[in-house]
Amino acid sequence: MGIPIPNSKLGLWLFLGTEIMFFTAFIGAYIVLRIGSPGWPTDPKDTHILVLMGGINTFVLIVSSYFVVVAHEAMAKRDFSRARRYLTYTMGLAFVFLGIKSIEYYGKISHDILPSHIAETPTQAINKVDRELEQVVRQRFAVYTDAEAIDVAQPDDLATVSAQLDVFAKSEGGGDDAKSAIHDVALYRKWQNLHQHIVANVSLEKVPVATGPGYLAAREALSEGESLPALEYAEVKAELARLKSDTNYGGFVSAGVLDPHPVLYGNLFASIYFLMTGFHAIHVIVGMLLFARPLLQGNNLNEEWTDWVENSGLYWHFVDLVWIFLFPLLYIA
């Protein structure tokens, strides 16, 4: 009762106290995990962290906080048109912040820097290439099955579709569709050969085939205790490069298969990055909603909204302060 401030301001400070504990838990957990994970990804080529974008966003939020202060000062002086103008500036900078953040998110999503999507070991990188290449083959085959160019009872059976495409190519008499079908079947066979070597875990270069009589004969020729040379990460990477350089189907492979690149602790990094920046972005959106209320009043904005603008400004300063911690921790450290 003795504190000479409005109940709304007191309530907001209590709320901000809980928010401080909320983000302190995130930041503290990140620091512990970061220090306790030797080999944490720091190369921008691995993380696709854009320090310049983060720095611009830091400047944007700092300027927006200044505009909020000016808006509150204008409200106190009953200069409501000036207050509306600076609140509009603040709202505009909030959109700029989210726009830059969306560019950063798009870069990570396009490079599959997402939780549980990142290969952290050479074996995981090999298996990821296998899955993505299979998806490319399925997309190419779907062009024919969806258009009903071939009649296949089970379109998910790639071997059956491949056989039908062979017949389709011959029946087309060498037209453009026939040539495309030939190239797509060739890509399927390349993937199938790679897939068989991955399943059998045998070298692509030293063991020509990983199935059939030739493969069985190679195994039978081994002495007791010997094994066929294992598949290596470098071989898969070289094979993928050859597929991408092929003029017939390389464009499809390049668009659908990322370069195999194991990133230790990559999934943990992606989880923390999206968790912390995502929750911060949600707080930015909430702040924009708070500013929208007085802006919607238009010319009817009056002194009754002074406390609202002040409290919204306090909340916005907190959002700015959190980002000042997140930027050096996630982008620079």
Side-chain angles (χ1 to χ4, degrees):
M1 292 173 61
I3 301 178
I5 61 174
N7 290 336
S8 59
K9 189 173 182 179
L10 176 61
L12 182 69
W13 276 113
L14 292 174
F15 170 72
L16 292 181
T18 66
E19 289 286 276
I20 290 172
M21 291 186 285
F22 178 77
F23 277 101
T24 299
F26 281 166
I27 294 172
Y30 164 72
I31 292 174
V32 171
L33 291 171
R34 173 70 175 83
I35 295 175
S37 304
W40 186 270
T42 56
D43 190 340
K45 294 180 180 178
D46 296 336
T47 61
H48 291 276
I49 285 288
L50 302 177
V51 179
L52 178 60
M53 291 292 189
I56 293 174
N57 260 350
T58 303
F59 177 76
V60 165
L61 283 184
I62 291 174
V63 174
S64 69
S65 285
Y66 167 73
F67 286 161
V68 168
V69 172
V70 175
H72 174 244
E73 181 186 33
M75 290 291 295
K77 293 180 178 180
R78 303 174 64 85
D79 189 350
F80 303 118
S81 62
R82 188 165 187 258
R84 285 198 309 273
R85 184 166 66 254
Y86 277 90
L87 285 177
T88 302
Y89 294 161
T90 303
M91 181 72 81
L93 290 180
F95 276 110
V96 171
F97 178 90
L98 292 180
I100 293 175
K101 181 56 60 180
S102 66
I103 293 173
E104 293 186 74
Y105 276 16
Y106 174 78
K108 288 176 175 56
I109 294 172
S110 63
H111 289 87
D112 211 21
I113 307 296
L114 297 170
S116 78
H117 285 218
I118 302 173
E120 298 187 348
T121 65
T123 300
Q124 291 178 359
I126 291 172
N127 291 330
K128 186 175 182 180
V129 170
D130 183 30
R131 294 192 303 270
E132 292 179 350
L133 191 56
E134 178 185 359
Q135 187 61 32
V136 171
V137 172
R138 291 189 179 279
Q139 289 174 354
R140 294 306 306 154
F141 281 7
V143 172
Y144 307 95
T145 55
D146 292 348
E148 299 183 351
I150 57 176
D151 185 14
V152 182
Q154 295 180 332
D156 291 335
D157 186 352
L158 296 180
T160 302
V161 177
S162 175
Q164 290 289 337
L165 280 180
D166 275 333
V167 177
F168 171 77
K170 295 175 182 178
S171 65
E172 285 292 301
D176 291 339
D177 291 341
K179 291 179 181 179
S180 297
I182 292 173
H183 299 324
D184 292 334
V185 171
L187 176 60
Y188 161 74
R189 289 171 180 165
K190 290 285 187 180
W191 164 76
Q192 187 182 47
N193 181 58
L194 175 62
H195 177 73
Q196 290 168 348
H197 278 80
I198 292 174
V199 172
N201 191 26
V202 293
S203 171
L204 270 168
E205 298 176 357
K206 299 177 181 179
V207 183
V209 293
T211 186
Y215 173 67
L216 295 176
R219 289 181 60 87
E220 291 175 358
L222 295 172
S223 302
E224 185 176 353
E226 285 186 326
S227 60
L228 293 173
L231 180 66
E232 296 183 1
Y233 163 71
E235 293 179 292
V236 176
K237 190 173 182 179
E239 176 66 11
L240 181 61
R242 286 191 289 269
L243 293 177
K244 289 187 175 183
S245 64
D246 191 285
T247 56
N248 296 316
Y249 45 71
F252 302 117
V253 177
S254 298
V257 184
L258 297 172
D259 290 330
H261 188 64
V263 180
L264 186 63
Y265 298 115
N267 292 299
L268 185 57
F269 158 78
S271 298
I272 289 174
Y273 175 84
F274 282 105
L275 179 72
M276 296 174 72
T277 61
F279 269 107
H280 180 264
I282 292 174
H283 283 70
V284 171
I285 294 172
V286 171
M288 295 170 69
L289 294 175
L290 293 176
F291 294 137
R293 285 291 304 278
L295 285 174
L296 289 175
Q297 303 305 310
N299 294 329
N300 294 324
L301 185 66
N302 53 40
E303 63 276 3
E304 295 179 359
W305 289 90
T306 301
D307 288 345
W308 181 284
V309 172
E310 181 182 12
N311 293 333
S312 301
L314 288 174
Y315 176 84
W316 194 250
H317 297 326
F318 169 78
V319 172
D320 187 4
L321 182 63
V322 169
W323 181 255
I324 290 175
F325 278 94
L326 295 185
F327 172 62
L329 286 173
L330 294 177
Y331 287 75
I332 299 176

